[in-house]
Amino acid sequence: DPIALGREDEGFADAQRVFFADETQGKIFRIDRDGENLTELYSSTATQFWLFVDSDSRVLYFMEKDSGVGAIYRVGFDGTNLINLQSDISFPTSFTVDLTIGKLYWVSDQSDSPGFFINRSDLDGANPVNFFTEVSSFDDVNEMRADSTNGFLYWTQVGANNVIRRAPLGNSVAVQSIATPNGQELAVGLTLDIEAGALYWSEPIMGKIFSASLDGNNPLEIFAGDRSSPQFIEIDPSNTDQLYFSNTDERQVERLVLSTGTRTVLASTS
């Protein structure tokens, strides 16, 4: 159940929303951050989604996968003006957007042979090119985030290599492995707090969330909860003491206060 955060202004009110997908229903929803006003934005036969919110333009970018084939769309916060940006993506596994330099990033897999491709294009889908190619393993990329302030693309890589990597946005050859989870732990979800110089990742099997500096140093376990399988995570840009995550065990979206460990369920599809 991927989630992303966005802000929508209505009149004089500042109503902040959470966007999330229920992959069992093939739907994308919008809900207020207090858990009210659940609204369906999009429905299809897709079984996987990746989301990114552009709050200034009031649009949601998303990638979906249906029967191994992916497509990237943009849609308004009210569910109108759906535009297809990329089609026929082979076995997509991750997606993100860099609004500062105006780029879409997505990962396509090679299915039955080693390797994956990180591709990018302009925000309107024009000028697609290959950014990075991995040919040595059957790894998957689960989540990507762009840090245009410091000039890096981050991703979590799972498979033969359970690792968090980053590459300079202008030089994908200089890939760095910056964090390696311990033992059987995986790095799946990923989010960045650029101002604080921190990255966060989720480990759904152990039910944990970790943090580290943007270069991967000083790793710290910050959350381990009962009945919890945090998958996709997102830091709150307006209050970085709050982190949102999709709990796949309970099929719900939760808000976590980092300083206290308090959890609040915002939406449940169970």
Side-chain angles (χ1 to χ4, degrees):
D1 300 336
I3 61 174
L5 302 182
R7 171 177 294 173
E8 183 175 359
D9 298 326
E10 295 183 339
F12 296 101
D14 183 24
Q16 296 184 345
R17 312 294 180 94
V18 175
F19 296 80
F20 68 96
D22 178 2
E23 295 176 337
T24 60
Q25 299 185 59
K27 295 181 178 181
I28 297 175
F29 296 93
R30 182 190 71 197
I31 193 170
D32 292 352
R33 294 194 187 188
D34 59 5
E36 300 295 326
N37 300 317
L38 180 67
T39 303
E40 180 184 321
L41 295 186
Y42 177 80
S43 179
S44 74
T45 59
T47 56
Q48 280 188 278
F49 293 91
W50 296 262
L51 313 180
F52 186 93
V53 170
D54 178 355
S55 299
D56 290 338
S57 299
R58 296 162 60 89
V59 295
L60 174 73
Y61 291 88
F62 66 93
M63 183 172 72
E64 66 175 22
K65 181 169 75 171
D66 188 2
S67 301
V69 179
I72 298 173
Y73 295 91
R74 183 178 66 223
V75 67
F77 274 8
D78 59 358
T80 62
N81 299 319
L82 179 70
I83 299 174
N84 176 247
L85 303 174
Q86 291 287 335
S87 299
D88 300 321
I89 301 171
S90 174
F91 296 97
T93 64
S94 189
F95 167 72
T96 195
V97 179
D98 187 337
L99 295 174
T100 302
I101 64 173
K103 298 295 182 182
L104 307 174
Y105 291 87
W106 68 95
V107 179
S108 57
D109 205 338
Q110 298 197 80
S111 179
D112 58 353
S113 59
F116 58 81
F117 304 95
I118 299 179
N119 309 288
R120 73 179 179 188
S121 74
D122 298 339
L123 289 180
D124 61 1
N127 302 312
V129 296
N130 174 255
F131 174 75
F132 173 76
T133 299
E134 168 69 71
V135 296
S136 61
S137 70
F138 282 92
D139 290 359
D140 286 329
V141 173
N142 277 344
E143 189 75 353
M144 292 190 296
R145 285 291 185 270
D147 171 12
S148 53
T149 300
N150 299 298
F152 286 99
L153 179 71
Y154 291 78
W155 67 87
T156 57
Q157 191 168 318
V158 177
N161 302 288
N162 298 322
V163 66
I164 300 173
R165 285 183 164 176
R166 71 178 183 180
L169 291 172
N171 180 14
S172 62
V173 176
V175 174
Q176 306 168 6
S177 296
I178 61 169
T180 303
N182 296 321
Q184 299 301 310
E185 294 177 350
L186 308 176
V188 178
L190 178 71
T191 190
L192 306 177
D193 182 353
I194 304 302
E195 279 193 23
L199 63 86
Y200 299 86
W201 71 91
S202 64
E203 208 300 340
I205 296 176
M206 303 290 185
K208 297 179 179 180
I209 297 174
F210 297 85
S211 69
S213 57
L214 287 175
D215 59 6
N217 289 322
N218 305 311
L220 179 67
E221 178 186 312
I222 62 169
F223 171 76
D226 295 332
R227 301 186 310 279
S228 177
S229 180
Q231 187 92 1
F232 292 88
I233 60 176
E234 197 74 68
I235 200 75
D236 186 335
S238 63
N239 180 358
T240 55
D241 190 37
Q242 296 187 151
L243 184 145
Y244 294 77
F245 66 92
S246 57
N247 182 347
T248 54
D249 273 0
E250 301 294 315
R251 294 186 60 204
Q252 57 197 24
V253 177
E254 298 189 30
R255 179 175 60 231
L256 171 68
V257 179
L258 297 176
S259 59
T260 65
T262 303
R263 296 166 60 180
T264 303
V265 176
L266 298 184
S268 175
T269 60
S270 59

